[in-house]
Amino acid sequence: MSRVFALIDCNNFYVSCERVFDPRLRDVPVVVLSNNDGCVIARSAEAKEMGIPMAAPFFEFRRLAQHKKVKVFSSNYALYGDMSARVMRTLAEFTPRLEIYSIDEAFLDLSGNGRRDLIAYGREIAATVRRATGIPVSVGLGPTKVLAKIANRIAKRNPETGGVLDFTALGPHREAHLAQIDVKDVWGIGRRWSERLRQLGISTALDLREADPHQIRRRLSVVGERIVRELRGTSCLALEDAPPKKQQIMTSRTFGERVTDHRSMREAMGTFTARTAEKLREQRSRARALTVFITTSPFNEREPRYSNSATRALPGATRDSGELIAAAIDALDEIWKPGYRYMKAGVMLLDLVPESHDQGALFAAPQPRSRGRSSSLMDVLDRLNRDLGRGTVRYATEGLRKAWRMKQEHRSPAYTTRWDQLPVVRG
Amino acid sequence: MLTPDFAAPALHLPLFGDRVAAGFPSPADDHLDNKLDLNEHLVKRPAATFFVRVEGRSMIGAGIHPDDILVVDRSLEASNGNIVVAAVDGELTVKRLHYRRARLFLEPENPDYDPIEITGETDLVVWGVVTSVIHKV
């Protein structure tokens, strides 16, 4: 049976999210900055045309942006995450065979749906997402995931397609398009493999398609061979099954200003750990170990550099913020060295087990407080923070001043996740 | 940047996860009904439903007051007589959509306000259709 895959990719996703709620942003240059307002991570078409490059440090073009009236936003992950979930939910109405590939991309397996006119179907998918969520998407269709990805790329770069393209329908133009695509831009190849391929004289997607699969297998493993076969139209990569539960959960931040004192670092670590513990409980897991790390800037040559990490095994698998924070602070105290300007810190929970599987530690010392009480305390804590806003109830270690908090000077409201920040309409 | 040693061997212990139900079943179990859920009542398509807050008094006649929350469904096609949220010249506004003798209006429901006629020059995008008003008394 011939297969059909669609790759749905949101156009300039973060910018599009901002535009849904602020119509004045239409047709003007818009950029979104990374955590801490450091670099450009999303650009509208107008910003691209002005020559603002991806990943450009904000300070380098701040004056240009002011002069040309570029709208600048700090990243607003509460908004982008909610809008992504809406896009994915809308796509899932077309088929249950859906793989969420990233925050703004999904593969749909449309094999055997009985549709003759795939392009019309792709247009219907795009129009439905656009209407339901306000987010514009491009649709690439093909007999394999690699070709669907390539079709999407061609659709994006050729406005006359209306953002929807079926690779199979390209006919004799296929080769010309493949010849224009650098081999490093083929899905799954990347920079390292593309260098190896270039030594073999393979520099475009077309070259790779024409290559001997067995030779590619010898050079790039069986995954490389599969990509060659996918380029030839034979589907080797299926949709992934439901992804396994995350085996690590991490929270890390680059600080708004360098952290130099122990007390601020303890506060930061306490906050990260509390947040990570919330994520742990959201996915109904317990953790058996925890790692904290702190680091100075790796870029500043003039300052002394220091990085270290420490791990603590926990007495039993736990979901208790208090126990996790105590372990994190203990680990931090082991690696803390005064006299450095710390740029970043984080905490990672490891060795996760499902909540229901916990037995406690067989020979552990008596617990400081009963599991039952700890469990209901955590439920109350999570409910309060969910209903009244993050950080309403917190551990003293998390601190109240938070001088280390991230710089986010241009963040838009949490339009879809906070009652006090809803979009305003004129009546 | 530092990363922990993921290659370190994990410690696997046998687990007994299943719980055994014990005790008498509750005689009420067969009669349990769902709790009433306002979301279910007000929101037909969650992916396409947004909440917005009202500012201004132009829709008082339709029972839409300042500070009310509107439930807006973007997936609905706006038709004549619907109350809609629309982007007019870059501003989000709530009004009633009205076709009259081949002319299109956004009409307020308050005699103190004038209808907006949509002409070729107006920059109009219908954002969504209002399906409910949440008004605190």
PDB file of all heavy atoms in Angstrom, chain A residues 20 24 26 86 89 131-132 134 307-309 357 419 423-427, chain B residues 2 46-47 49 53 55 58 74-75 77 90-94 123 125 127:
ATOM      1  N   VAL A  20      -1.774  36.814  16.845  1.00  0.00           N
ATOM      2  CA  VAL A  20      -3.176  36.416  17.025  1.00  0.00           C
ATOM      3  C   VAL A  20      -3.878  37.392  17.963  1.00  0.00           C
ATOM      4  O   VAL A  20      -5.027  37.753  17.751  1.00  0.00           O
ATOM      5  CB  VAL A  20      -3.270  34.975  17.584  1.00  0.00           C
ATOM      6  CG1 VAL A  20      -4.702  34.651  18.013  1.00  0.00           C
ATOM      7  CG2 VAL A  20      -2.803  33.966  16.539  1.00  0.00           C
ATOM      8  N   ARG A  24      -2.363  44.772  15.598  1.00  0.00           N
ATOM      9  CA  ARG A  24      -1.463  45.822  15.111  1.00  0.00           C
ATOM     10  C   ARG A  24      -0.115  45.256  14.657  1.00  0.00           C
ATOM     11  O   ARG A  24       0.658  45.926  13.993  1.00  0.00           O
ATOM     12  CB  ARG A  24      -1.207  46.858  16.214  1.00  0.00           C
ATOM     13  CG  ARG A  24      -2.380  47.783  16.460  1.00  0.00           C
ATOM     14  CD  ARG A  24      -2.158  48.519  17.749  1.00  0.00           C
ATOM     15  NE  ARG A  24      -1.877  47.556  18.818  1.00  0.00           N
ATOM     16  CZ  ARG A  24      -1.551  47.880  20.053  1.00  0.00           C
ATOM     17  NH1 ARG A  24      -1.418  49.130  20.400  1.00  0.00           N
ATOM     18  NH2 ARG A  24      -1.339  46.942  20.957  1.00  0.00           N
ATOM     19  N   ARG A  26       0.282  42.853  12.622  1.00  0.00           N
ATOM     20  CA  ARG A  26       0.222  42.311  11.268  1.00  0.00           C
ATOM     21  C   ARG A  26       1.011  43.214  10.328  1.00  0.00           C
ATOM     22  O   ARG A  26       0.968  44.426  10.432  1.00  0.00           O
ATOM     23  CB  ARG A  26      -1.242  42.252  10.819  1.00  0.00           C
ATOM     24  CG  ARG A  26      -1.628  40.919  10.228  1.00  0.00           C
ATOM     25  CD  ARG A  26      -3.053  40.964   9.763  1.00  0.00           C
ATOM     26  NE  ARG A  26      -3.370  42.254   9.166  1.00  0.00           N
ATOM     27  CZ  ARG A  26      -4.548  42.550   8.637  1.00  0.00           C
ATOM     28  NH1 ARG A  26      -5.508  41.668   8.645  1.00  0.00           N
ATOM     29  NH2 ARG A  26      -4.767  43.742   8.114  1.00  0.00           N
ATOM     30  N   ARG A  86      -3.227  23.807  21.129  1.00  0.00           N
ATOM     31  CA  ARG A  86      -4.443  24.029  20.337  1.00  0.00           C
ATOM     32  C   ARG A  86      -4.247  23.587  18.890  1.00  0.00           C
ATOM     33  O   ARG A  86      -5.136  22.974  18.285  1.00  0.00           O
ATOM     34  CB  ARG A  86      -4.822  25.515  20.373  1.00  0.00           C
ATOM     35  CG  ARG A  86      -5.343  25.987  21.724  1.00  0.00           C
ATOM     36  CD  ARG A  86      -5.371  27.510  21.782  1.00  0.00           C
ATOM     37  NE  ARG A  86      -5.861  27.992  23.060  1.00  0.00           N
ATOM     38  CZ  ARG A  86      -7.149  28.246  23.329  1.00  0.00           C
ATOM     39  NH1 ARG A  86      -8.072  28.069  22.391  1.00  0.00           N
ATOM     40  NH2 ARG A  86      -7.509  28.672  24.515  1.00  0.00           N
ATOM     41  N   ARG A  89      -4.186  19.761  18.813  1.00  0.00           N
ATOM     42  CA  ARG A  89      -5.519  19.215  19.051  1.00  0.00           C
ATOM     43  C   ARG A  89      -6.398  19.346  17.809  1.00  0.00           C
ATOM     44  O   ARG A  89      -7.182  18.460  17.485  1.00  0.00           O
ATOM     45  CB  ARG A  89      -6.138  19.972  20.230  1.00  0.00           C
ATOM     46  CG  ARG A  89      -7.372  19.330  20.757  1.00  0.00           C
ATOM     47  CD  ARG A  89      -7.743  19.900  22.103  1.00  0.00           C
ATOM     48  NE  ARG A  89      -8.998  19.301  22.521  1.00  0.00           N
ATOM     49  CZ  ARG A  89      -9.481  19.374  23.746  1.00  0.00           C
ATOM     50  NH1 ARG A  89      -8.808  20.010  24.677  1.00  0.00           N
ATOM     51  NH2 ARG A  89     -10.624  18.817  24.044  1.00  0.00           N
ATOM     52  N   ARG A 131      -8.235  28.915  10.982  1.00  0.00           N
ATOM     53  CA  ARG A 131      -9.455  29.489  11.505  1.00  0.00           C
ATOM     54  C   ARG A 131      -9.608  29.239  13.003  1.00  0.00           C
ATOM     55  O   ARG A 131      -9.948  30.135  13.764  1.00  0.00           O
ATOM     56  CB  ARG A 131     -10.664  28.912  10.766  1.00  0.00           C
ATOM     57  CG  ARG A 131     -11.891  29.696  11.080  1.00  0.00           C
ATOM     58  CD  ARG A 131     -12.864  29.671   9.940  1.00  0.00           C
ATOM     59  NE  ARG A 131     -13.947  28.783  10.293  1.00  0.00           N
ATOM     60  CZ  ARG A 131     -14.883  28.367   9.441  1.00  0.00           C
ATOM     61  NH1 ARG A 131     -14.825  28.742   8.189  1.00  0.00           N
ATOM     62  NH2 ARG A 131     -15.832  27.586   9.852  1.00  0.00           N
ATOM     63  N   ALA A 132      -9.301  28.018  13.444  1.00  0.00           N
ATOM     64  CA  ALA A 132      -9.505  27.663  14.848  1.00  0.00           C
ATOM     65  C   ALA A 132      -8.530  28.391  15.767  1.00  0.00           C
ATOM     66  O   ALA A 132      -8.901  28.818  16.861  1.00  0.00           O
ATOM     67  CB  ALA A 132      -9.372  26.155  15.038  1.00  0.00           C
ATOM     68  N   GLY A 134      -5.866  30.772  14.566  1.00  0.00           N
ATOM     69  CA  GLY A 134      -5.247  31.993  14.056  1.00  0.00           C
ATOM     70  C   GLY A 134      -3.813  31.797  13.602  1.00  0.00           C
ATOM     71  O   GLY A 134      -3.167  32.742  13.166  1.00  0.00           O
ATOM     72  N   SER A 307      32.848  25.719  36.896  1.00  0.00           N
ATOM     73  CA  SER A 307      31.601  24.977  36.710  1.00  0.00           C
ATOM     74  C   SER A 307      31.695  23.712  37.537  1.00  0.00           C
ATOM     75  O   SER A 307      32.768  23.121  37.634  1.00  0.00           O
ATOM     76  CB  SER A 307      31.409  24.541  35.261  1.00  0.00           C
ATOM     77  OG  SER A 307      31.298  25.653  34.432  1.00  0.00           O
ATOM     78  N   ASN A 308      30.591  23.332  38.100  1.00  0.00           N
ATOM     79  CA  ASN A 308      30.608  22.060  38.816  1.00  0.00           C
ATOM     80  C   ASN A 308      29.184  21.548  38.969  1.00  0.00           C
ATOM     81  O   ASN A 308      28.223  22.313  38.855  1.00  0.00           O
ATOM     82  CB  ASN A 308      31.268  22.216  40.183  1.00  0.00           C
ATOM     83  CG  ASN A 308      31.886  20.916  40.655  1.00  0.00           C
ATOM     84  OD1 ASN A 308      31.648  19.858  40.073  1.00  0.00           O
ATOM     85  ND2 ASN A 308      32.680  20.993  41.714  1.00  0.00           N
ATOM     86  N   SER A 309      29.096  20.264  39.238  1.00  0.00           N
ATOM     87  CA  SER A 309      27.779  19.696  39.496  1.00  0.00           C
ATOM     88  C   SER A 309      27.882  18.677  40.616  1.00  0.00           C
ATOM     89  O   SER A 309      28.971  18.185  40.922  1.00  0.00           O
ATOM     90  CB  SER A 309      27.218  19.035  38.241  1.00  0.00           C
ATOM     91  OG  SER A 309      27.939  17.862  37.957  1.00  0.00           O
ATOM     92  N   HIS A 357       4.440   3.027  41.685  1.00  0.00           N
ATOM     93  CA  HIS A 357       5.392   1.954  41.925  1.00  0.00           C
ATOM     94  C   HIS A 357       6.246   2.142  43.167  1.00  0.00           C
ATOM     95  O   HIS A 357       7.063   1.304  43.483  1.00  0.00           O
ATOM     96  CB  HIS A 357       6.324   1.789  40.717  1.00  0.00           C
ATOM     97  CG  HIS A 357       5.662   1.064  39.590  1.00  0.00           C
ATOM     98  ND1 HIS A 357       6.342   0.474  38.568  1.00  0.00           N
ATOM     99  CD2 HIS A 357       4.348   0.836  39.349  1.00  0.00           C
ATOM    100  CE1 HIS A 357       5.483  -0.089  37.737  1.00  0.00           C
ATOM    101  NE2 HIS A 357       4.270   0.130  38.186  1.00  0.00           N
ATOM    102  N   TRP A 419      -6.353  34.527  34.028  1.00  0.00           N
ATOM    103  CA  TRP A 419      -7.574  35.332  33.989  1.00  0.00           C
ATOM    104  C   TRP A 419      -7.274  36.825  34.004  1.00  0.00           C
ATOM    105  O   TRP A 419      -7.985  37.619  33.396  1.00  0.00           O
ATOM    106  CB  TRP A 419      -8.476  34.996  35.181  1.00  0.00           C
ATOM    107  CG  TRP A 419      -9.111  33.648  35.096  1.00  0.00           C
ATOM    108  CD1 TRP A 419      -8.889  32.594  35.940  1.00  0.00           C
ATOM    109  CD2 TRP A 419     -10.076  33.193  34.140  1.00  0.00           C
ATOM    110  NE1 TRP A 419      -9.644  31.513  35.550  1.00  0.00           N
ATOM    111  CE2 TRP A 419     -10.387  31.854  34.458  1.00  0.00           C
ATOM    112  CE3 TRP A 419     -10.698  33.784  33.046  1.00  0.00           C
ATOM    113  CZ2 TRP A 419     -11.301  31.095  33.725  1.00  0.00           C
ATOM    114  CZ3 TRP A 419     -11.607  33.035  32.313  1.00  0.00           C
ATOM    115  CH2 TRP A 419     -11.906  31.708  32.659  1.00  0.00           C
ATOM    116  N   PRO A 423      -6.944  38.930  26.638  1.00  0.00           N
ATOM    117  CA  PRO A 423      -6.974  40.019  25.662  1.00  0.00           C
ATOM    118  C   PRO A 423      -8.178  40.924  25.944  1.00  0.00           C
ATOM    119  O   PRO A 423      -9.219  40.453  26.401  1.00  0.00           O
ATOM    120  CB  PRO A 423      -7.170  39.310  24.322  1.00  0.00           C
ATOM    121  CG  PRO A 423      -7.053  37.863  24.564  1.00  0.00           C
ATOM    122  CD  PRO A 423      -7.114  37.607  26.027  1.00  0.00           C
ATOM    123  N   VAL A 424      -8.036  42.211  25.661  1.00  0.00           N
ATOM    124  CA  VAL A 424      -9.112  43.172  25.909  1.00  0.00           C
ATOM    125  C   VAL A 424      -9.777  43.528  24.584  1.00  0.00           C
ATOM    126  O   VAL A 424      -9.099  43.782  23.598  1.00  0.00           O
ATOM    127  CB  VAL A 424      -8.545  44.437  26.588  1.00  0.00           C
ATOM    128  CG1 VAL A 424      -9.602  45.530  26.637  1.00  0.00           C
ATOM    129  CG2 VAL A 424      -8.049  44.104  27.982  1.00  0.00           C
ATOM    130  N   VAL A 425     -11.113  43.497  24.554  1.00  0.00           N
ATOM    131  CA  VAL A 425     -11.836  43.936  23.360  1.00  0.00           C
ATOM    132  C   VAL A 425     -12.670  45.162  23.715  1.00  0.00           C
ATOM    133  O   VAL A 425     -13.230  45.247  24.806  1.00  0.00           O
ATOM    134  CB  VAL A 425     -12.734  42.822  22.772  1.00  0.00           C
ATOM    135  CG1 VAL A 425     -11.903  41.607  22.434  1.00  0.00           C
ATOM    136  CG2 VAL A 425     -13.865  42.435  23.716  1.00  0.00           C
ATOM    137  N   ARG A 426     -12.762  46.108  22.770  1.00  0.00           N
ATOM    138  CA  ARG A 426     -13.550  47.325  22.993  1.00  0.00           C
ATOM    139  C   ARG A 426     -15.025  47.034  22.776  1.00  0.00           C
ATOM    140  O   ARG A 426     -15.422  46.528  21.744  1.00  0.00           O
ATOM    141  CB  ARG A 426     -13.134  48.427  22.000  1.00  0.00           C
ATOM    142  CG  ARG A 426     -11.795  49.030  22.201  1.00  0.00           C
ATOM    143  CD  ARG A 426     -11.671  49.856  23.453  1.00  0.00           C
ATOM    144  NE  ARG A 426     -12.649  50.944  23.544  1.00  0.00           N
ATOM    145  CZ  ARG A 426     -12.780  51.712  24.607  1.00  0.00           C
ATOM    146  NH1 ARG A 426     -12.037  51.497  25.687  1.00  0.00           N
ATOM    147  NH2 ARG A 426     -13.662  52.678  24.623  1.00  0.00           N
ATOM    148  N   GLY A 427     -15.826  47.356  23.798  1.00  0.00           N
ATOM    149  CA  GLY A 427     -17.279  47.227  23.631  1.00  0.00           C
ATOM    150  C   GLY A 427     -17.859  48.585  23.369  1.00  0.00           C
ATOM    151  O   GLY A 427     -17.179  49.608  23.508  1.00  0.00           O
TER     152      GLY A 427
ATOM    153  N   LEU B   2      27.950  21.638  32.158  1.00  0.00           N
ATOM    154  CA  LEU B   2      28.068  20.346  32.807  1.00  0.00           C
ATOM    155  C   LEU B   2      26.849  19.494  32.527  1.00  0.00           C
ATOM    156  O   LEU B   2      25.741  19.982  32.462  1.00  0.00           O
ATOM    157  CB  LEU B   2      28.159  20.560  34.315  1.00  0.00           C
ATOM    158  CG  LEU B   2      29.458  21.173  34.754  1.00  0.00           C
ATOM    159  CD1 LEU B   2      29.301  21.678  36.163  1.00  0.00           C
ATOM    160  CD2 LEU B   2      30.559  20.164  34.659  1.00  0.00           C
ATOM    161  N   PRO B  46     -12.701  23.222  22.428  1.00  0.00           N
ATOM    162  CA  PRO B  46     -11.689  23.832  23.296  1.00  0.00           C
ATOM    163  C   PRO B  46     -10.490  24.413  22.534  1.00  0.00           C
ATOM    164  O   PRO B  46      -9.994  25.480  22.891  1.00  0.00           O
ATOM    165  CB  PRO B  46     -11.236  22.669  24.189  1.00  0.00           C
ATOM    166  CG  PRO B  46     -12.329  21.662  24.111  1.00  0.00           C
ATOM    167  CD  PRO B  46     -13.005  21.835  22.786  1.00  0.00           C
ATOM    168  N   ALA B  47     -10.058  23.717  21.458  1.00  0.00           N
ATOM    169  CA  ALA B  47      -8.871  24.195  20.744  1.00  0.00           C
ATOM    170  C   ALA B  47      -9.123  25.557  20.117  1.00  0.00           C
ATOM    171  O   ALA B  47      -8.201  26.336  19.907  1.00  0.00           O
ATOM    172  CB  ALA B  47      -8.449  23.183  19.678  1.00  0.00           C
ATOM    173  N   THR B  49     -11.487  27.842  21.251  1.00  0.00           N
ATOM    174  CA  THR B  49     -12.219  28.750  22.142  1.00  0.00           C
ATOM    175  C   THR B  49     -11.269  29.602  22.977  1.00  0.00           C
ATOM    176  O   THR B  49     -10.336  29.089  23.596  1.00  0.00           O
ATOM    177  CB  THR B  49     -13.160  27.942  23.058  1.00  0.00           C
ATOM    178  OG1 THR B  49     -14.072  27.220  22.238  1.00  0.00           O
ATOM    179  CG2 THR B  49     -13.938  28.871  23.977  1.00  0.00           C
ATOM    180  N   ARG B  53     -11.674  39.863  27.597  1.00  0.00           N
ATOM    181  CA  ARG B  53     -12.322  40.737  28.570  1.00  0.00           C
ATOM    182  C   ARG B  53     -12.832  42.005  27.891  1.00  0.00           C
ATOM    183  O   ARG B  53     -12.197  42.526  26.977  1.00  0.00           O
ATOM    184  CB  ARG B  53     -11.339  41.098  29.688  1.00  0.00           C
ATOM    185  CG  ARG B  53     -12.036  41.708  30.903  1.00  0.00           C
ATOM    186  CD  ARG B  53     -11.066  41.921  32.051  1.00  0.00           C
ATOM    187  NE  ARG B  53     -10.570  40.685  32.635  1.00  0.00           N
ATOM    188  CZ  ARG B  53     -11.239  39.944  33.530  1.00  0.00           C
ATOM    189  NH1 ARG B  53     -12.436  40.316  33.927  1.00  0.00           N
ATOM    190  NH2 ARG B  53     -10.715  38.855  34.016  1.00  0.00           N
ATOM    191  N   GLU B  55     -14.071  45.950  27.543  1.00  0.00           N
ATOM    192  CA  GLU B  55     -13.849  47.297  28.036  1.00  0.00           C
ATOM    193  C   GLU B  55     -14.834  48.195  27.285  1.00  0.00           C
ATOM    194  O   GLU B  55     -14.923  48.088  26.060  1.00  0.00           O
ATOM    195  CB  GLU B  55     -12.402  47.700  27.686  1.00  0.00           C
ATOM    196  CG  GLU B  55     -11.700  48.565  28.694  1.00  0.00           C
ATOM    197  CD  GLU B  55     -10.269  48.801  28.216  1.00  0.00           C
ATOM    198  OE1 GLU B  55     -10.074  49.544  27.245  1.00  0.00           O
ATOM    199  OE2 GLU B  55      -9.366  48.215  28.826  1.00  0.00           O
ATOM    200  N   SER B  58     -20.508  49.841  24.770  1.00  0.00           N
ATOM    201  CA  SER B  58     -21.282  49.922  23.521  1.00  0.00           C
ATOM    202  C   SER B  58     -22.209  48.721  23.308  1.00  0.00           C
ATOM    203  O   SER B  58     -23.085  48.765  22.462  1.00  0.00           O
ATOM    204  CB  SER B  58     -20.338  50.054  22.319  1.00  0.00           C
ATOM    205  OG  SER B  58     -19.713  48.820  22.055  1.00  0.00           O
ATOM    206  N   ARG B  74     -13.526  30.606  17.588  1.00  0.00           N
ATOM    207  CA  ARG B  74     -12.955  31.040  16.311  1.00  0.00           C
ATOM    208  C   ARG B  74     -13.361  30.132  15.168  1.00  0.00           C
ATOM    209  O   ARG B  74     -13.215  30.506  14.003  1.00  0.00           O
ATOM    210  CB  ARG B  74     -11.425  31.059  16.401  1.00  0.00           C
ATOM    211  CG  ARG B  74     -10.848  32.176  17.238  1.00  0.00           C
ATOM    212  CD  ARG B  74      -9.327  32.185  17.067  1.00  0.00           C
ATOM    213  NE  ARG B  74      -8.987  32.234  15.668  1.00  0.00           N
ATOM    214  CZ  ARG B  74      -8.510  33.314  15.047  1.00  0.00           C
ATOM    215  NH1 ARG B  74      -8.286  34.404  15.713  1.00  0.00           N
ATOM    216  NH2 ARG B  74      -8.239  33.278  13.765  1.00  0.00           N
ATOM    217  N   SER B  75     -13.795  28.918  15.480  1.00  0.00           N
ATOM    218  CA  SER B  75     -14.061  27.956  14.403  1.00  0.00           C
ATOM    219  C   SER B  75     -15.414  28.204  13.740  1.00  0.00           C
ATOM    220  O   SER B  75     -15.693  27.672  12.680  1.00  0.00           O
ATOM    221  CB  SER B  75     -13.991  26.525  14.936  1.00  0.00           C
ATOM    222  OG  SER B  75     -15.074  26.266  15.814  1.00  0.00           O
ATOM    223  N   GLU B  77     -18.292  30.043  11.626  1.00  0.00           N
ATOM    224  CA  GLU B  77     -18.408  31.013  10.535  1.00  0.00           C
ATOM    225  C   GLU B  77     -19.349  32.118  10.996  1.00  0.00           C
ATOM    226  O   GLU B  77     -20.475  31.840  11.420  1.00  0.00           O
ATOM    227  CB  GLU B  77     -18.982  30.306   9.312  1.00  0.00           C
ATOM    228  CG  GLU B  77     -19.014  31.133   8.058  1.00  0.00           C
ATOM    229  CD  GLU B  77     -17.799  30.861   7.182  1.00  0.00           C
ATOM    230  OE1 GLU B  77     -17.594  29.687   6.803  1.00  0.00           O
ATOM    231  OE2 GLU B  77     -17.068  31.823   6.913  1.00  0.00           O
ATOM    232  N   GLY B  90      -6.728  47.402  13.430  1.00  0.00           N
ATOM    233  CA  GLY B  90      -5.720  47.042  14.429  1.00  0.00           C
ATOM    234  C   GLY B  90      -6.215  46.964  15.859  1.00  0.00           C
ATOM    235  O   GLY B  90      -5.438  46.705  16.766  1.00  0.00           O
ATOM    236  N   GLU B  91      -7.536  47.176  16.074  1.00  0.00           N
ATOM    237  CA  GLU B  91      -8.034  47.090  17.439  1.00  0.00           C
ATOM    238  C   GLU B  91      -9.114  46.015  17.530  1.00  0.00           C
ATOM    239  O   GLU B  91      -9.956  45.899  16.649  1.00  0.00           O
ATOM    240  CB  GLU B  91      -8.622  48.436  17.886  1.00  0.00           C
ATOM    241  CG  GLU B  91      -8.927  48.449  19.371  1.00  0.00           C
ATOM    242  CD  GLU B  91      -9.500  49.793  19.842  1.00  0.00           C
ATOM    243  OE1 GLU B  91     -10.233  50.437  19.065  1.00  0.00           O
ATOM    244  OE2 GLU B  91      -9.237  50.163  20.987  1.00  0.00           O
ATOM    245  N   LEU B  92      -9.080  45.234  18.626  1.00  0.00           N
ATOM    246  CA  LEU B  92     -10.106  44.209  18.805  1.00  0.00           C
ATOM    247  C   LEU B  92     -11.348  44.851  19.394  1.00  0.00           C
ATOM    248  O   LEU B  92     -11.289  45.561  20.396  1.00  0.00           O
ATOM    249  CB  LEU B  92      -9.600  43.102  19.734  1.00  0.00           C
ATOM    250  CG  LEU B  92      -8.511  42.174  19.163  1.00  0.00           C
ATOM    251  CD1 LEU B  92      -8.011  41.212  20.232  1.00  0.00           C
ATOM    252  CD2 LEU B  92      -9.016  41.409  17.951  1.00  0.00           C
ATOM    253  N   THR B  93     -12.494  44.582  18.777  1.00  0.00           N
ATOM    254  CA  THR B  93     -13.731  45.186  19.231  1.00  0.00           C
ATOM    255  C   THR B  93     -14.848  44.148  19.175  1.00  0.00           C
ATOM    256  O   THR B  93     -14.787  43.209  18.385  1.00  0.00           O
ATOM    257  CB  THR B  93     -14.084  46.425  18.365  1.00  0.00           C
ATOM    258  OG1 THR B  93     -15.286  47.006  18.858  1.00  0.00           O
ATOM    259  CG2 THR B  93     -14.275  46.062  16.913  1.00  0.00           C
ATOM    260  N   VAL B  94     -15.862  44.312  20.056  1.00  0.00           N
ATOM    261  CA  VAL B  94     -17.008  43.403  20.003  1.00  0.00           C
ATOM    262  C   VAL B  94     -18.229  44.191  19.536  1.00  0.00           C
ATOM    263  O   VAL B  94     -18.535  45.264  20.063  1.00  0.00           O
ATOM    264  CB  VAL B  94     -17.256  42.706  21.366  1.00  0.00           C
ATOM    265  CG1 VAL B  94     -17.386  43.698  22.511  1.00  0.00           C
ATOM    266  CG2 VAL B  94     -18.508  41.819  21.317  1.00  0.00           C
ATOM    267  N   ASP B 123     -10.000  48.142   7.432  1.00  0.00           N
ATOM    268  CA  ASP B 123      -9.213  46.927   7.595  1.00  0.00           C
ATOM    269  C   ASP B 123      -9.931  46.064   8.627  1.00  0.00           C
ATOM    270  O   ASP B 123      -9.847  46.329   9.819  1.00  0.00           O
ATOM    271  CB  ASP B 123      -7.805  47.330   8.047  1.00  0.00           C
ATOM    272  CG  ASP B 123      -6.950  46.118   8.346  1.00  0.00           C
ATOM    273  OD1 ASP B 123      -7.291  45.016   7.885  1.00  0.00           O
ATOM    274  OD2 ASP B 123      -5.940  46.285   9.045  1.00  0.00           O
ATOM    275  N   VAL B 125     -10.932  42.161  10.107  1.00  0.00           N
ATOM    276  CA  VAL B 125     -10.805  40.705  10.165  1.00  0.00           C
ATOM    277  C   VAL B 125     -11.717  40.221  11.287  1.00  0.00           C
ATOM    278  O   VAL B 125     -11.611  40.687  12.417  1.00  0.00           O
ATOM    279  CB  VAL B 125      -9.355  40.264  10.480  1.00  0.00           C
ATOM    280  CG1 VAL B 125      -9.272  38.744  10.508  1.00  0.00           C
ATOM    281  CG2 VAL B 125      -8.379  40.835   9.474  1.00  0.00           C
ATOM    282  N   TRP B 127     -12.524  37.992  14.073  1.00  0.00           N
ATOM    283  CA  TRP B 127     -11.599  37.196  14.905  1.00  0.00           C
ATOM    284  C   TRP B 127     -12.295  35.936  15.419  1.00  0.00           C
ATOM    285  O   TRP B 127     -11.687  34.883  15.533  1.00  0.00           O
ATOM    286  CB  TRP B 127     -11.161  38.092  16.064  1.00  0.00           C
ATOM    287  CG  TRP B 127      -9.922  37.664  16.773  1.00  0.00           C
ATOM    288  CD1 TRP B 127      -8.625  37.999  16.457  1.00  0.00           C
ATOM    289  CD2 TRP B 127      -9.843  36.857  17.952  1.00  0.00           C
ATOM    290  NE1 TRP B 127      -7.766  37.440  17.359  1.00  0.00           N
ATOM    291  CE2 TRP B 127      -8.477  36.741  18.283  1.00  0.00           C
ATOM    292  CE3 TRP B 127     -10.792  36.224  18.752  1.00  0.00           C
ATOM    293  CZ2 TRP B 127      -8.029  36.009  19.378  1.00  0.00           C
ATOM    294  CZ3 TRP B 127     -10.350  35.490  19.845  1.00  0.00           C
ATOM    295  CH2 TRP B 127      -8.976  35.382  20.158  1.00  0.00           C
TER     296      TRP B 127
END
